[in-house]
Amino acid sequence: MTDAALSSPRSLNPFARLMAGTTGPVIVVVAALIAIWYLSAVILNTPFQRDTYERAGQTDVPMSQLITDTLVQERPVLPAPHQVITEIYQTTVLKKVTSKRSLVYHTWITLSTTLLGFVIGTLLGILLAVGIVHSRVLDKSLMPWVISSQTIPILAIAPMIIVVLNAVGISGLLPKAMISTYLSFFPVTVGMVKGLRSPEVIHMDLMHTYSATRLQAFWKLRLPYAVPYLFTSMKIGMAASLVGAIVGELPTGAVAGLGARLLAGSYYGQTVQIWSALIMAALLAGSLVALIGLIEKLVLKRMGMAQ
């Protein structure tokens, strides 16, 4: 057999085929992270567990029992993975969706804020990018302000936005969505500016030879070139929008949402609740980014662009 035949995926054993793709390495990394997580949980929870043994008068405790007890504490410093999974199962499957204790309910509150802020931020970013590309005045004046806006810590500006909007009678979903908009419009603006300016000079000259207007050049040349940049920036904007939604829920008094769940958990020292909310937020962000990636493949395939 030739070297090419021996190195082909079909000639490899199942384990080699698994590791040759992306699934195998991801599984290895996840397994390593879980192992490190368990080891860290044992190390961080051991001091409290030893104090518990001393108060109970237990001196000779086997190492196996110590490790087991550190992984089942009610309020551990670092909860074990199985504790977080159990908490997620109990607050998603065993609770009604409409219950205030349901993690699905809190996730939906955060998701609605995230999507609204993302849509507003994406539209705002596209409009700003179009203006910056077609106006030298906006390019010189507005673009520096767009970049400077992201130097302000979101934790500092979020309470001000919430308080100011509540003072003028705007409350509920929109103030929190404004925080998401503030974080999500920036990557879309920068990405679209780069994308709209990506056509080569020879292609722009060709449009000029066809006597194309600026609008025709935009729809037929600039925008198709900018679509891949748009989806890439939308992935970043979606993740940023979720962060903004969670941060925006903190000044509301811990009413609902994953941010409120995190805040309530910190109030009462419920670290398992905190970590379950964090894992749910990570899963939500990953799902939304993956959805945008799927839409990107469909759109680019429809446009005839190779992946």
Side-chain angles (χ1 to χ4, degrees):
M1 298 178 65
T2 63
D3 294 339
L6 290 174
S7 60
S8 62
R10 293 183 179 181
S11 64
L12 302 175
N13 58 63
F15 177 77
R17 286 202 303 269
L18 181 65
M19 297 305 296
T22 58
T23 304
V26 170
I27 293 176
V28 172
V29 172
V30 171
L33 291 176
I34 292 177
I36 295 173
W37 188 348
Y38 269 110
L39 179 62
S40 301
V42 172
I43 294 174
L44 294 177
N45 297 334
T46 294
F48 177 79
Q49 193 62 45
R50 291 189 182 278
D51 292 340
T52 302
Y53 291 151
E54 291 180 0
R55 289 194 297 268
Q58 300 177 1
T59 56
D60 297 329
V61 179
M63 180 61 67
S64 58
Q65 181 180 349
L66 174 63
I67 295 176
T68 301
D69 292 341
T70 56
L71 299 179
V72 295
Q73 292 179 0
E74 183 178 356
R75 295 183 179 181
V77 176
L78 177 62
H82 67 272
Q83 291 180 294
V84 177
I85 294 175
T86 301
E87 175 69 14
I88 292 176
Y89 177 79
Q90 292 177 347
T91 54
T92 55
V93 179
L94 302 183
K95 296 289 184 181
K96 292 184 178 180
V97 178
T98 56
S99 173
K100 296 288 182 67
R101 296 183 177 180
S102 172
L103 201 56
V104 178
Y105 168 78
H106 292 285
T107 302
W108 167 249
I109 297 297
T110 301
L111 176 61
S112 59
T113 304
T114 300
L115 294 179
L116 179 59
F118 173 73
V119 170
I120 298 175
T122 301
L123 294 178
L124 177 61
I126 294 174
L127 291 176
L128 291 176
V130 172
I132 290 172
V133 169
H134 289 88
S135 174
R136 185 174 179 83
V137 175
L138 291 180
D139 185 19
K140 296 298 182 181
S141 61
L142 185 59
M143 193 61 179
W145 284 103
V146 171
I147 297 174
S148 300
S149 67
Q150 301 304 302
T151 62
I152 304 175
I154 187 61
L155 289 176
I157 197 174
M160 292 188 292
I161 294 177
I162 298 295
V163 171
V164 169
L165 291 180
N166 283 335
V168 297
I170 302 176
S171 59
L173 183 64
L174 188 58
K176 294 183 293 183
M178 288 296 99
I179 308 298
S180 298
T181 300
Y182 176 78
L183 291 180
S184 63
F185 91 96
F186 174 73
V188 176
T189 302
V190 175
M192 281 298 290
V193 169
K194 180 67 175 177
L196 293 174
R197 289 175 173 171
S198 62
E200 299 179 9
V201 177
I202 189 174
H203 294 157
M204 295 298 298
D205 292 340
L206 182 61
M207 295 298 292
H208 292 157
T209 60
Y210 291 157
S211 299
T213 63
R214 298 181 68 178
L215 184 60
Q216 290 173 329
F218 174 80
W219 286 109
K220 297 181 181 297
L221 183 62
R222 290 187 183 274
L223 187 59
Y225 265 87
V227 169
Y229 293 85
L230 173 62
F231 279 105
T232 301
S233 59
M234 285 172 61
K235 293 176 184 178
I236 302 174
M238 179 62 79
S241 180
L242 178 60
V243 173
I246 293 175
V247 173
E249 290 167 353
L250 299 181
T252 61
V255 178
L258 294 177
R261 186 85 172 174
L262 293 172
L263 192 59
S266 65
Y267 280 159
Y268 301 103
Q270 298 290 342
T271 54
V272 179
Q273 176 180 315
I274 295 174
W275 277 83
S276 64
L278 289 173
I279 297 299
M280 183 61 70
L283 294 175
L284 179 60
S287 301
L288 293 175
V289 172
L291 179 61
I292 295 177
L294 178 60
I295 297 174
E296 177 185 12
K297 290 183 178 180
L298 296 176
V299 171
L300 295 184
K301 183 179 180 181
R302 185 65 180 266
M303 295 176 62
M305 297 184 181
Q307 289 292 298

